[in-house]
Amino acid sequence: MNCCGLLTPEKEPVPLKSIEVELEVRDHVATVVSTLLYENKEDKPIEAVFVLPLPGDAAVCHFSAVIGQTQIVAEVKDKQQAREEYDDALSSGQQAFLLEESDQSPDIFSLSVGSLPPGESASIRLEYVTELAVQADDGLRFCLPAVLNPRYQPQGSEGPSVQVTSVPASLVPYSLSFSARVSSPHPISKVESSSSLDPLQYLNAEKTQATVRLAAGHKFDRDVELLIYYTDAHQPTAVVEAGQASAKPGTVMGDLMMMLSLYPEFPQSVMSSVASCGEFVFLMDRSGSMRCPTSSSKREETRISSARDTLLLLLKSLPMGCYFNIYSFGSSYEHMFPKSVEYSEKTMEEALKKVEEMTANLGETEILKPLEHIYSQPCIPNQPRQLFVFTDGEVGNTKEVINLVKKNSGSHRCFSFGIGEGASTALINDLAKEGGGHAQFISGGDRMQPKVMQSLRFALQPAVQDVSVTWDLPKGVSATVLSPPITALFQGQRSLVYAQVSGQSSEAAEGCVTVKYSLAGHLSQNQLRFTLKPAEDTGLTVHRLGARTLIRSLEMEEREHRGQQVGGVKEKVVELSVQSGVSSSFTAFIAVNKSDGKEIQGPLVRRNVPAPSEYYFKITPEAPRDALLQLVSLQKASGCWLLDAALAAALGKTSEEVEKPKPASVNQQVWATILALIWLHGFKTDAKEEWELLAMKAVSWIHAQNAPCVTECVEAGNEVLGCSVEKDSLGL
């Protein structure tokens, strides 16, 4: 038996030997092909079941198996029918293969390899397409989920919970190889990863094509993340793709499909004014798993300590005049104030004291109840509600949570943060998508603070209202938008629109799409012109992504009207899923090997293939707070600092060294605040996005004091701190 590697927690053999992943990135769309090699080294036939993570927005479009010389390609069928066919095949001694999406969350799939006889191998091929998300620094993020942590399913949730078999990352019994090929109309400037990569290989002199692979010895302690950077990449584009020759005109697969990438440019006058109002509600995960390290490379930094530091920065950066509250949740939830309070020195200090005491001691991850409580609170007039959700995403009832956010999307914007490896992509992305906000993932060696401050900047942008998309197309051509209506636009962030284009036109024909919206009372519009000539080399990628978008919208509609007499939506999803070959929550891929007719003898033994989990990380003592956060923690809500021993220590000086050089006519707080600003600009420029908003607040406070001798203060402050920061660069 040892030849099988006794590696599951139950000391059972694992039939999965290796996973090989090939990624092809074209501009901002990824095609992923995974090949899983199974081998039965036991003396009896087995059924291998692997519950595995996939990206929540992936369009799974191919599933096949090769046994010996025979390839069996799976078909998409109604889920119940597929399960019955699978069970019937196994009970009659045939081989069968089933791939189905979890009923609870679209980022978990179950792959069943049925009736693998002793000594036999099977090679399983699984293919999906997905869009890459644009990051705050303009990188495109691809993530191959490798870690799958157990998901918590609260009592009373709909449907059965997902059963995950997991082992510590160091005991994963199969190997992973990963290679990527990247091509774009724009030069590729770099590719980064939280995992170790072999050097990037360029395939042409223009640097528009390159390959990269995972270095040998991947440890399975993290998801495989790639950040791809193009030169001058983020321009509005339209990709048109020809329909499938065998599909009927007028159907999603038979017509042209268009993918529009829109990057709105807001007027500078609107962007320069940061909102000074809003109700900011921070919802913090304090379940037991938040005690895990943020990454395997930073064992001393736990998720909860990083979240506390982030809340400190957020609370210091809020504008005077806004309202805020902090909720935390696990199996139960708590709120800091009975209702949101006005931001002042008193309320900020009270909140910070409680934040300091926060630990990951609230049990499981139950996010639905606190969200219901937040939404039950009346909104404050003229204070738009902004919800920030921090979680490691180990939630089982994802679809219920997303439904609730969508139902309340008219009253708030939701910004979400997935913390650590294995955070549910479906939960984090859909919270932001349905809540009209922005999603961020913090994994590997990422610092949480810059990503969260980027989202706070988005939250302080005025909300875009009355978004409309109008088309100007040649005569006889029409466009049907498959994407849900655009409800949120942010400066420089991409919005994707999929549209089915019907009718006949010449390939040289041109069209134009106009996006109009109202922003802080200003009417704005962006236009994009395009030709209807189909791209040569995209296959059916855009069609599959368009079908996936429509499937997701219809699934959401079906859940909203479940129990009401609104018929036909589920049937529409099944029809579209079968027609496009893209999986859905109501369908599954099924393949039955009918070729050799030999019955497989004997009872089947079920083997669960384990996924790596982070739950086995050792908890280590937390590191002390760094110098930047030490200084930030001393700032007052108004934006100023006090001249005292704590400030001197944070600046690395004695009290005498900072007090003595103060110009006589300047008050102590102005001098202290100028010193703090010089220190930030002089020593912490690399972390500017973390402190920029609170520094703006400090500068506004100094201007309001009409302080004399500011130039003299800056010169004296530079001397004290050994810097040479210009007065103008401080904003003074």
Side-chain angles (χ1 to χ4, degrees):
M1 287 282 280
N2 276 335
C3 63
C4 312
L6 301 178
L7 285 159
T8 68
E10 293 76 29
K11 301 283 185 281
E12 290 172 347
V14 175
L16 177 61
K17 298 300 163 204
S18 65
I19 303 177
E20 181 189 341
V21 179
E22 293 172 307
L23 165 69
E24 182 166 3
V25 176
R26 287 174 183 268
D27 213 0
H28 61 255
V29 170
T31 301
V32 182
V33 178
S34 295
T35 306
L36 296 88
L37 186 63
Y38 288 83
E39 191 179 349
N40 181 7
K41 288 191 171 178
E42 299 185 60
D43 55 7
K44 43 194 173 293
I46 60 168
E47 176 191 24
V49 179
F50 187 14
V51 175
L52 71 160
L54 290 179
D57 50 4
V60 180
C61 53
H62 176 89
F63 178 56
S64 61
V66 174
I67 296 114
Q69 300 302 305
T70 310
Q71 184 192 25
I72 312 137
V73 178
E75 296 174 70
V76 178
K77 295 190 175 179
D78 175 88
K79 191 181 268 185
Q80 195 52 44
Q81 184 190 343
R83 285 173 178 167
E84 285 168 12
E85 283 188 26
Y86 177 79
D87 291 341
D88 289 349
L90 297 200
S91 57
S92 61
Q94 289 179 303
Q95 283 181 312
F97 306 87
L98 181 71
L99 179 70
E100 55 180 325
E101 184 185 304
S102 148
D103 291 334
Q104 300 305 325
S105 186
D107 59 354
I108 298 181
F109 277 70
S110 175
L111 192 169
S112 303
V113 174
S115 293
L116 199 55
E120 192 158 292
S121 301
S123 171
I124 306 293
R125 181 182 164 106
L126 163 68
E127 189 176 322
Y128 62 84
V129 288
T130 183
E131 304 120 349
L132 304 187
V134 182
Q135 302 302 285
D137 64 357
D138 288 344
L140 289 169
R141 179 179 186 267
F142 168 78
C143 181
L144 176 75
V147 175
L148 181 57
N149 299 318
R151 304 274 176 96
Y152 172 64
Q153 180 104 350
Q155 283 184 320
S157 295
E158 299 168 12
S161 60
V162 179
Q163 297 305 313
V164 175
T165 304
S166 54
V167 291
S170 59
L171 295 184
V172 170
Y174 40 86
S175 62
L176 172 73
S177 63
F178 174 88
S179 60
R181 182 187 173 103
V182 182
S183 56
S184 165
H186 308 277
I188 303 154
S189 55
K190 59 178 176 177
V191 176
E192 294 177 347
S193 177
S194 55
S195 307
S196 31
L197 301 175
D198 289 342
L200 188 68
Q201 305 278 326
Y202 287 107
L203 302 180
N204 59 7
E206 299 77 33
K207 296 190 172 181
T208 56
Q209 293 186 356
T211 59
V212 68
R213 58 179 50 245
L214 199 57
H218 177 68
K219 294 282 189 293
F220 273 107
D221 55 354
R222 65 193 70 176
D223 296 334
V224 179
E225 182 186 62
L226 284 192
L227 293 166
I228 300 165
Y229 296 85
Y230 299 135
T231 315
D232 307 325
H234 301 317
Q235 311 295 331
T237 54
V239 177
V240 178
E241 184 179 86
Q244 199 171 13
S246 58
K248 257 195 351 226
T251 62
V252 165
M253 298 306 285
D255 282 342
L256 292 176
M257 181 70 73
M258 183 181 293
M259 174 171 63
L260 297 173
S261 302
L262 305 170
Y263 292 89
E265 287 299 326
F266 296 165
Q268 194 50 48
S269 56
V270 176
M271 292 310 299
S272 55
S273 63
V274 169
S276 58
C277 61
E279 179 196 8
F280 294 87
V281 180
F282 304 111
L283 177 56
M284 182 62 68
D285 189 340
R286 283 174 53 198
S287 60
S289 51
M290 289 288 285
R291 286 198 298 268
C292 287
T294 47
S295 76
S296 53
S297 57
K298 289 188 182 172
R299 291 301 172 91
E300 70 291 344
E301 183 180 88
T302 63
R303 294 172 184 177
I304 193 72
S305 68
S306 184
R308 281 198 302 263
D309 290 347
T310 303
L311 275 176
L312 164 70
L313 271 177
L314 281 166
L315 286 169
K316 296 288 183 178
S317 303
L318 289 179
M320 293 297 275
C322 75
Y323 285 72
F324 78 102
N325 202 352
I326 299 174
Y327 282 69
S328 52
F329 69 95
S331 305
S332 57
Y333 68 91
E334 300 171 0
H335 40 74
M336 234 166 236
F337 305 103
K339 60 179 189 181
S340 294
V341 293
E342 190 166 354
Y343 178 70
S344 66
E345 184 60 35
K346 180 174 174 295
T347 55
M348 182 191 80
E349 286 301 334
E350 191 181 333
L352 282 173
K353 272 200 189 74
K354 290 179 178 168
V355 167
E356 281 302 311
E357 294 160 9
M358 275 187 177
T359 55
N361 62 348
L362 291 183
E364 306 283 7
T365 313
E366 163 55 299
I367 195 172
L368 197 65
K369 292 278 182 280
L371 280 172
E372 285 172 343
H373 190 269
I374 290 166
Y375 294 140
S376 72
Q377 302 293 304
C379 290
I380 302 165
N382 304 318
Q383 300 284 352
R385 181 173 286 170
Q386 316 272 8
L387 175 60
F388 282 60
V389 179
F390 300 84
T391 177
D392 56 16
E394 291 166 12
V395 171
N397 56 336
T398 302
K399 290 180 178 176
E400 280 182 85
V401 172
I402 300 309
N403 284 352
L404 180 67
V405 172
K406 182 174 167 87
K407 209 165 88 184
N408 291 278
S409 59
S411 65
H412 78 305
R413 290 197 287 192
C414 181
F415 297 85
S416 56
F417 305 90
I419 303 167
E421 312 301 333
S424 164
T425 55
L427 178 75
I428 304 304
N429 284 327
D430 288 355
L431 278 171
K433 192 154 93 186
E434 299 303 339
H438 185 70
Q440 303 259 25
F441 288 87
I442 297 115
S443 61
D446 292 345
R447 272 173 69 79
M448 191 185 298
Q449 291 84 346
K451 293 194 170 189
V452 175
M453 298 316 288
Q454 167 72 33
S455 290
L456 180 58
R457 278 190 205 87
F458 284 152
L460 291 168
Q461 283 183 18
V464 166
Q465 292 169 316
D466 307 325
V467 183
S468 68
V469 178
T470 51
W471 299 80
D472 181 9
L473 294 165
K475 198 166 184 245
V477 176
S478 64
T480 307
V481 175
L482 305 183
S483 307
I486 299 173
T487 52
L489 290 171
F490 295 105
Q491 168 70 23
Q493 286 295 303
R494 183 186 66 205
S495 282
L496 279 177
V497 177
Y498 289 96
Q500 177 183 342
V501 179
S502 310
Q504 295 294 315
S505 71
S506 72
E507 286 196 347
E510 290 202 341
C512 174
V513 64
T514 307
V515 182
K516 294 183 182 171
Y517 48 88
S518 147
L519 184 70
H522 301 256
L523 281 174
S524 294
Q525 69 173 44
N526 297 129
Q527 274 195 337
L528 174 61
R529 299 199 159 277
F530 52 83
T531 74
L532 290 173
K533 182 176 192 284
E536 303 280 305
D537 53 0
T538 60
L540 287 169
T541 306
V542 178
H543 278 77
R544 285 169 176 150
L545 288 169
R548 176 62 163 163
T549 301
L550 183 53
I551 285 168
R552 281 280 172 255
S553 297
L554 290 168
E555 286 172 344
M556 181 73 82
E557 188 184 324
E558 193 275 340
R559 289 201 301 276
E560 281 173 14
H561 299 303
R562 197 167 285 173
Q564 301 169 19
Q565 296 304 307
V566 180
V569 181
K570 182 178 172 182
E571 290 74 12
K572 243 189 240 174
V573 172
V574 172
E575 185 188 349
L576 179 57
S577 176
V578 170
Q579 184 194 39
S580 61
V582 170
S583 71
S584 73
S585 59
F586 302 130
T587 52
F589 280 95
I590 172 72
V592 177
N593 184 4
K594 297 173 180 166
S595 62
D596 67 0
K598 277 192 313 207
E599 273 194 32
I600 294 164
Q601 300 299 319
L604 277 186
V605 180
R606 178 174 165 131
R607 295 292 182 226
N608 291 319
V609 177
S613 167
E614 275 200 309
Y615 262 27
Y616 303 92
F617 278 152
K618 192 164 151 279
I619 308 301
T620 49
E622 290 177 11
R625 185 168 269 169
D626 69 17
L628 170 62
L629 292 167
Q630 207 59 47
L631 179 70
V632 168
S633 68
L634 300 172
Q635 189 186 28
K636 298 295 171 190
S638 61
C640 72
W641 273 264
L642 302 182
L643 189 63
D644 57 17
L647 176 71
L651 297 173
K653 301 289 175 190
T654 64
S655 293
E656 193 182 351
E657 283 172 325
V658 297
E659 286 169 15
K660 216 171 173 189
K662 179 182 82 66
S665 59
V666 173
N667 90 32
Q668 291 193 340
Q669 290 181 4
V670 170
W671 169 243
T673 305
I674 288 174
L675 284 177
L677 285 170
I678 291 170
W679 187 89
L680 289 171
H681 282 269
F683 298 109
K684 290 292 172 183
T685 46
D686 58 334
K688 188 174 182 182
E689 51 200 351
E690 297 181 35
W691 52 258
E692 195 170 24
L693 287 170
L694 59 89
M696 282 164 63
K697 196 157 74 161
V699 169
S700 300
W701 179 85
I702 292 171
H703 286 316
Q705 308 311 303
N706 290 322
C709 315
V710 170
T711 307
E712 194 185 332
C713 283
V714 173
E715 286 168 5
N718 273 319
E719 206 158 302
V720 170
L721 297 171
C723 296
S724 52
V725 178
E726 300 283 326
K727 178 184 162 204
D728 289 352
S729 65
L730 294 175
L732 300 170

